Amino acid sequence: MKARRQDLKRPRPSGEAAKGSWSECARRTIAGVHDRLPAEATLAERIAAVDAAYPFGERAHYPYKVWCKARRNYLVRFGYVPQNAKPGPLLSLMEGQSRGSRTRG
C-alpha cells in the first residue's frame, strides 16, 4: 500500500497557532510574551518566559529549529549572546592588524 502525500506531511499546530507559518507563529508567540513582561525584566526572566511559551509540542525537528531562531533574534536585543557566537569579520581584521603591526626588536 502506497502512502498518500497528505499522510506524510508534518502536523500543523492546532488552535490559535494554526494561523500562518511556523515562523509567524513563533514570532507572534514571542511578541505576546514580550507584551506581558515588564520593561525592567532581566535577561534570565525573558529567557524563562520565552522558553515556557513554546507552542509546538515536542521540541524537535523543523518547528523547534524555527522557534530557536525566533527566540535568538528576540533575546539578542536584550544582551543575549548565543553559545555558537563567533567574532565578526571586523574584530578578526582588527586582531590581525594588531598582531601584524608588532615589531620585533
Side-chain angles (χ1 to χ4, degrees):
M1 184 168 137
K2 196 172 186 180
R4 296 180 321 178
R5 181 182 174 133
Q6 186 65 27
D7 296 335
L8 300 175
K9 288 186 176 181
R10 289 191 176 108
R12 299 291 294 176
S14 59
E16 181 63 29
K19 299 174 185 164
S21 68
W22 296 108
S23 58
E24 289 171 359
C25 178
R27 286 191 303 266
R28 198 171 41 245
T29 302
I30 291 172
V33 169
H34 176 75
D35 292 341
R36 290 189 300 273
L37 283 171
E40 63 277 353
T42 65
L43 179 60
E45 292 169 341
R46 289 182 189 281
I47 290 172
V50 168
D51 289 348
Y54 182 73
F56 302 128
E58 183 183 2
R59 292 176 188 254
H61 310 295
Y62 184 70
Y64 185 60
K65 183 177 180 178
V66 169
W67 174 261
C68 289
K69 184 176 181 179
R71 175 186 181 269
R72 181 178 54 247
N73 289 341
Y74 169 72
L75 293 173
V76 162
R77 295 185 288 170
F78 300 98
Y80 177 72
V81 178
Q83 291 179 352
N84 61 349
K86 298 177 185 170
L90 183 60
L91 181 60
S92 300
L93 181 64
M94 291 171 59
E95 287 177 350
Q97 287 177 349
S98 67
R99 275 189 250 133
S101 65
R102 293 182 189 151
T103 59
R104 294 183 184 209

